[in-house]
Amino acid sequence: MINRPLFIIQRLSALVMVPLVFGHLALMIYAVQGGLSVDEILGRTQGSWFWFCYYGVFVLAASVHGAIGLRTICGEWLGLRRGLDMLTWLVAASLTCLGLWAVVAVT
Amino acid sequence: MSEAAQELTVSVWRGDARAGAFQGFRVPRFDSQTVLDVVSWIQQNADPTLTYRFACRVGMCGSCAMMVNGVPRWTCRTHVSKVVEAGALTVAPLRNLPVIKDLAADMDPFFEKWAGSVHEPSASRDDEIAEIRPDDPKRAAASSAIECINCAVCHAACDTVAGNPDYLGPAALTRAWTLFNDTRHGGDVLEVVSGAGGCHNCHSMASCTANCPNELDPMSAIAGLKRATVRRVFRRD
Ligand code: SF4
Ligand code: SF4
Ligand code: FES
């Protein structure tokens, strides 16, 4: 179900996400102080390469991490065997598309 | 002792691979009685057709493991007083293995998983004997599986084996860890444990370590394998 490459990719994506998650949380707390408006947020994120890369990398890491995690859950809890590879790719691709769509929309 | 305490209510699983059910027995209570004593008493005094497996009776051979009140245990070394719940015992065949009959589980799938972890000599009898210092760290790590009696208690305790029958399981992987640390082993054990059913499937929840009757620590051995297999990819050693 999980071989060495999948194991390594999942650990590495987790490693990438740890600082990004904390950065994201800190940013949320900072940004909502004194109220929050769409214009304020978009004013800071639009046209910014930094935020595009920050959340772009975040989306990619979360997509592969989530896809491999779901692969294990579907294998162990639902007894899925054939189709596991396809499911992994499908989940990774959908999460990436949805995530990048959002990233493109705000930057 | 009161009248009630002098008798045990025992539910024993009867059946084969196709179907089965629990059957109740009343068994007299003795001092220092083990769960294996209880099962043997039933076979000798109540129902001679009861099938179960044991050999050494002293915790050496690893053939007597069963589920006792839902927990995998070596029955010859498990005292009734330690596990009895309100005067009752439930005895069933080992989890995560097919049943042959009654309390005898089919050990073939368990031992088939050891196939990749067989010693391959790195030298012949004409070569010099490799010198291994007793205090060598690798020698110390290799001890992890030397005391293993192949009882499959850890295998029965592992939820990952339950959810993924291809997973090699704690016993075979602990054996692999010992071979990895054995300088005299010529085979490449790291590749054997890196496949789809290999060590990377372990969730490190330690049911194996908590239940091993010999107090071995398969979880840490598997963690060692994970580190070694990943290190090989990045260091190419
Ligand atoms: S630590 Fe690993 S091998 Fe041990 S019971 Fe948990 S999943 Fe199974
Ligand atoms: S590691 Fe422990 S529980 Fe597992 S087979 Fe060996 S002795 Fe039994
Ligand atoms: S009978 Fe040999 S270990 Fe229990």
Side-chain angles (χ1 to χ4, degrees), chain A residues 10 18 31 34 36 52 59 79 81 86 95 103:
Chain A
Q10 196 174 29
V18 169
L36 188 65
F52 178 79
V59 162
R81 286 295 170 272
M86 212 188 0
L95 287 178
V103 171

Side-chain angles (χ1 to χ4, degrees), chain B residues 5-6 12 24 33 36 45 74 83 93 95 151 157 161 169 190 213 219 221:
Chain B
Q6 289 173 12
V12 178
Q33 192 177 20
L36 184 62
N45 299 285
W74 50 0
V83 290
R95 178 177 174 242
C151 65
V161 173
L190 288 189
M219 185 194 71

Side-chain angles (χ1 to χ4, degrees), chain B residues 4-5 7-11 29 35 67-73 78-91:
Chain B
E7 222 178 29
L8 286 165
T9 312
V10 188
S11 291
R29 191 78 173 78
V35 176
M67 304 299 290
V68 182
N69 286 349
V71 178
R73 294 183 184 278
T78 303
H79 280 260
V80 170
S81 54
K82 286 255 175 68
V83 290
V84 69
E85 285 168 13
L89 278 184
T90 304
V91 189

Side-chain angles (χ1 to χ4, degrees), chain B residues 36 53-65 74-77 149 151:
Chain B
L36 184 62
R53 203 190 275 122
F54 75 95
C56 72
R57 285 173 157 267
V58 290
M60 298 290 292
C61 71
S63 60
C64 67
W74 50 0
T75 54
C76 70
R77 296 286 299 270
I149 58 170
C151 65

Side-chain angles (χ1 to χ4, degrees), chain A residues 76, chain B residues 154-155 157-161 167 169-171 173-174 199 201-211 218-220 222 226:
Chain A
E76 284 182 11
Chain B
C154 54
H155 195 79
C158 177
D159 285 341
T160 306
V161 173
Y167 174 46
L173 288 171
T174 305
C199 65
N201 290 281
C202 167
H203 292 300
S204 307
M205 297 298 276
S207 306
C208 49
T209 301
N211 287 281
M219 185 194 71
S220 301
I222 297 169
K226 287 179 184 167

